Amino acid sequence: MLRHYHIKDYDFKLIILVVALTWIGIFAIGSAQESLQSRQVAGFVIGLFLMVVLSLFDYSIILRFYWILYVANIILLELVREMGVERGGAQRWLNVFGIQFQPSETAKILLLLFFAQFILKHKDDMDSLKVIGLCLLLFIPPIALIYKQPDMSTSIMVAMLFCVILFVGGISWKYIIMFLAAAIPTFIILLTLVLQPDQDIIEDFQQRRILAWLYPEEYATTEAYQQLNSVTAIGSGMLYGKGYNNNESSSVKNGNFISEPQTDFIYAVIGEEFGFVGGCTVIVLLILISFECIMVARRAKDIAGTIIAAGIAALVGFQGIINISVATNVIPNTGIPLPFVSYGLTSLVSLYIGVGFVLNVRLQCKK
C-alpha cells in the first residue's frame, strides 16, 4: 500500500494552512472554555498523525474497499438511531468504550470516498439515468439516517457535498439544468409550507429558528438570542478586537450571552477578541485551503482523486460559509461547525483524515 514518493511533491503549503487555522481555533476555544482547550489539542495531534499516515498510503488501494466503507457508514448511522446518546433533543452521538463521537461527521468523508470509487467505476456512463439513479438510491439511506437524528444542517451539508461529487464526476449539464429548474421552485414552496403554523414537515424548533431569522425582534430573547449577541460580539471587536482572553465586563463572551461559544459560534469569539483582522484571517485561510484542494483536484491522476480533493474543498468552503453566515445572522441558525476551528474532536479528526487523502492525491498528481 505504501509507495515511493518524492518529498518535493508533498503539499506542505496545505499542511501549513490547515495547522494555522487549527491553532487559531485552539486559542479561541481556550478563551471560550479553557477546560476544553487540551482536548482540542489532543484532537489536533491525533488528526495530524492520521493525516500524515494516510497521506503515504495509496488512495487507489484504499478505495478498492469502497463497499466496506459504505456498509460501515450505514452501520454507524443505524447504531446512532438504535443506541445513540441524546443531547438537547437530538440523538447524534455514539459512546464506544467511553469514547464519544459523532458518526454524521465521519459520514461526510466515508461517502466522499465511496462515491469517488463508484463514479470511477462508472465514469463512462455518468450521462445515463441508470447510473445517476443508482447514485441517488445509494445516497438516500445515509442522508435519511442523518436527517432522522434529527440533524437537518448536516443533512443539507451532505446533500451539497453530494451535488459537488456528481458535478465533478461528470454529470451532464442537461441534468444540472433540469435539477435547478425543479429545485428552485420546490425550495420556495417548501419554505412557504414550513412557515405555516400547523406544518409537520420539520421539527418545531427548526421552524422557530427560521422564524427567528426572519423576525429577529420577535424572538430577541429566545431563538434569535444567540445570533443577535453573536453579531454584537463581532461588531464590538472593531478592527483589532478587545484582546485575547480579555476580562472586559462588556464582553459578550464573558457575560455568557452566547451558550457554548466554543462550538457553532466560535467565530463570534474570534471577531470580538481579534476584531475584523482576525475574522478576515480565518476567512482567508478557509479560502486558501479550499483553493489549494481545487488545484490538487485539477491535477489528479484520475476522476476518483479529483472527486476526493474537490469534495474536501467543498466541505471546507461550504461549511465555512454556512457557519460564518450563521454567526453574522445572514442565514438561520444551523448548528454547522467552523472547519478546523470549532470545538469537536470528530469533526476535527475527520477533516484531517480528508486532508490526508488530498495530500496523497497530490503526491500522485500528473506531472
Side-chain angles (χ1 to χ4, degrees), residues 24-37 244-246 251-256 258-270 272-274 341-343:
I24 289 175
I26 288 171
F27 279 112
I29 289 166
S31 178
Q33 191 164 339
E34 189 176 0
S35 61
L36 298 176
Q37 189 176 45
Y244 175 65
N245 203 15
N246 67 80
S251 167
V252 174
K253 180 208 70 180
N254 294 336
N256 294 320
I258 300 176
S259 61
E260 299 190 18
Q262 73 277 4
T263 53
D264 304 335
F265 286 92
I266 193 71
Y267 191 75
V269 176
I270 293 170
E272 183 175 67
E273 298 193 346
F274 301 109
V341 181
S342 292
Y343 174 75

Side-chain angles (χ1 to χ4, degrees), residues 180-190:
L180 291 174
I184 294 173
T186 301
F187 172 77
I188 295 171
I189 293 169
L190 276 175

Side-chain angles (χ1 to χ4, degrees), residues 63 115-124 302-304 307:
L63 292 185
F115 281 111
Q117 182 66 8
F118 185 84
I119 291 175
L120 177 65
K121 292 280 188 182
H122 300 88
K123 61 181 179 180
D124 296 327
D302 56 24
I303 190 64
I307 290 172

Side-chain angles (χ1 to χ4, degrees), residues 148-319:
K148 288 178 181 178
Q149 292 180 0
D151 194 347
M152 179 184 285
S153 54
T154 302
S155 301
I156 293 171
M157 187 62 241
V158 172
M160 293 171 70
L161 179 62
F162 179 67
C163 291
V164 170
I165 290 170
L166 290 183
F167 176 75
V168 176
I171 187 174
S172 172
W173 274 102
K174 67 180 179 182
Y175 294 126
I176 295 173
I177 294 170
M178 288 169 59
F179 170 77
L180 291 174
I184 294 173
T186 301
F187 172 77
I188 295 171
I189 293 169
L190 276 175
L191 183 59
T192 304
L193 291 174
V194 299
L195 293 177
Q196 302 305 310
D198 299 324
Q199 64 83 34
D200 55 3
I201 300 172
I202 60 175
E203 299 289 335
D204 289 341
F205 77 91
Q206 294 169 334
Q207 184 194 47
R208 288 195 299 272
R209 285 183 176 183
I210 298 173
L211 291 169
W213 173 66
L214 292 171
Y215 312 104
E217 64 283 348
E218 296 180 17
Y219 294 83
T221 58
T222 53
E223 275 74 17
Y225 185 75
Q226 290 211 89
Q227 280 186 285
L228 293 176
N229 285 330
S230 174
V231 172
T232 301
I234 294 169
S236 69
M238 294 189 285
L239 185 59
Y240 296 110
K242 297 177 179 177
Y244 175 65
N245 203 15
N246 67 80
N247 57 5
E248 289 189 21
S249 58
S250 60
S251 167
V252 174
K253 180 208 70 180
N254 294 336
N256 294 320
F257 294 114
I258 300 176
S259 61
E260 299 190 18
Q262 73 277 4
T263 53
D264 304 335
F265 286 92
I266 193 71
Y267 191 75
V269 176
I270 293 170
E272 183 175 67
E273 298 193 346
F274 301 109
F276 180 77
V277 172
C280 285
T281 300
V282 170
I283 292 172
V284 169
L285 286 171
L286 288 168
I287 292 171
L288 290 176
I289 291 169
S290 296
F291 181 76
E292 189 66 21
C293 290
I294 290 170
M295 295 305 294
V296 172
R298 292 183 63 186
R299 296 178 54 200
K301 69 175 184 179
D302 56 24
I303 190 64
T306 299
I307 290 172
I308 290 171
I312 296 300
L315 198 57
V316 173
F318 287 148
Q319 275 200 201

